[in-house]
Amino acid sequence: MGGDEYRDLSAKQKVEIEGKVYFLSVGDLLWWDENEWKVGKAAFEEAPLAKFMSASGAGVNFEVWNPSGYSSSKINVALQSSKAPQKAEEVITSVRPRSASEITCQLGKRRVIVKEGDWWIKTDRRWRSLKTAADLEAFLHHDIQGELFMFEKVENMKGKTILKGRCFDKMRTESLPSL
């Protein structure tokens, strides 16, 4: 959904460690720089190191080494179930057509204008539009996190306004079509 530029990320496994999301391929190395985990080769010899081994429906597998690098263990981190995305009908109310490609609606507690192609994210119990390229980039890299509604099309059928798009959960592992 992020375009060709981000297609390579879709082939990687998303792993959240201490609130930060990492995109990992089998064989990627993680090292600790005293502040956060980094992907790639360690900058110095004493950094704790982990190697991403595999992912399955049950969880992700790592091989981890002690700080000296002489002893390793294999660990499995179970997958956490994510909260299913909300249905559009539960969040979007009071829909009124504005033009052929725009509507006004109640999104959460706010009345907003929504047009085809908009991405709206729920952060801190508030909905906001991702408007700038920087916002989209931050969202695609999980620097901005939250549930997402991607509005694809506004249709009028038999006098009724219908929104078409997709609803994604916070980690974007599950999505529902919205109609």
Side-chain angles (χ1 to χ4, degrees), residues 54-111:
S54 65
S56 69
V60 292
N61 298 301
F62 288 93
E63 184 172 6
V64 294
W65 285 267
N66 67 349
S68 67
Y70 291 112
S71 174
S72 71
S73 299
K74 291 186 173 32
I75 62 167
N76 177 281
V77 180
L79 293 179
Q80 292 180 339
S81 61
S82 63
K83 180 182 163 192
Q86 288 184 301
K87 294 180 182 174
E89 309 83 61
E90 296 172 358
V91 177
I92 303 167
T93 58
S94 303
V95 176
R96 294 184 191 141
R98 187 178 161 128
S99 71
S101 63
E102 285 185 340
I103 62 156
T104 61
C105 66
Q106 194 78 24
L107 188 55
K109 294 181 180 180
R110 293 178 57 198
R111 184 137 200 88

Side-chain angles (χ1 to χ4, degrees), residues 7-169:
R7 195 160 318 282
D8 63 325
L9 292 180
S10 67
K12 296 185 178 209
Q13 182 71 36
K14 286 192 285 188
V15 178
E16 184 177 4
I17 304 171
E18 297 177 351
K20 185 172 179 184
V21 176
Y22 298 87
F23 294 89
L24 301 175
S25 296
V26 171
D28 280 351
L29 298 174
L30 291 153
W31 58 276
W32 183 253
D33 78 346
E34 308 236 359
N35 293 316
E36 66 179 358
W37 287 97
K38 302 282 185 175
V39 178
K41 291 191 175 191
F44 50 90
E45 296 297 319
E46 284 82 37
L49 189 68
K51 182 176 182 180
F52 182 65
M53 302 301 287
S54 65
S56 69
V60 292
N61 298 301
F62 288 93
E63 184 172 6
V64 294
W65 285 267
N66 67 349
S68 67
Y70 291 112
S71 174
S72 71
S73 299
K74 291 186 173 32
I75 62 167
N76 177 281
V77 180
L79 293 179
Q80 292 180 339
S81 61
S82 63
K83 180 182 163 192
Q86 288 184 301
K87 294 180 182 174
E89 309 83 61
E90 296 172 358
V91 177
I92 303 167
T93 58
S94 303
V95 176
R96 294 184 191 141
R98 187 178 161 128
S99 71
S101 63
E102 285 185 340
I103 62 156
T104 61
C105 66
Q106 194 78 24
L107 188 55
K109 294 181 180 180
R110 293 178 57 198
R111 184 137 200 88
V112 297
I113 298 170
V114 175
K115 63 182 183 298
E116 292 177 0
D118 278 357
W119 288 23
W120 284 79
I121 183 169
K122 183 180 181 184
T123 59
D124 300 326
R125 293 171 275 175
R126 181 179 171 271
W127 288 96
R128 71 178 185 106
S129 176
L130 297 177
K131 293 180 183 178
T132 67
D135 282 347
L136 291 173
E137 181 88 13
F139 180 75
L140 291 171
H141 287 286
H142 287 265
D143 295 331
I144 300 173
Q145 294 187 19
E147 292 180 55
L148 173 72
F149 284 99
M150 293 175 65
F151 295 97
E152 295 169 355
K153 191 164 181 77
V154 177
E155 290 183 351
N156 288 308
M157 298 178 96
K158 298 178 184 174
K160 205 172 186 183
T161 303
I162 298 173
L163 302 174
K164 292 192 175 183
R166 296 211 64 83
C167 309
F168 292 85
D169 67 336

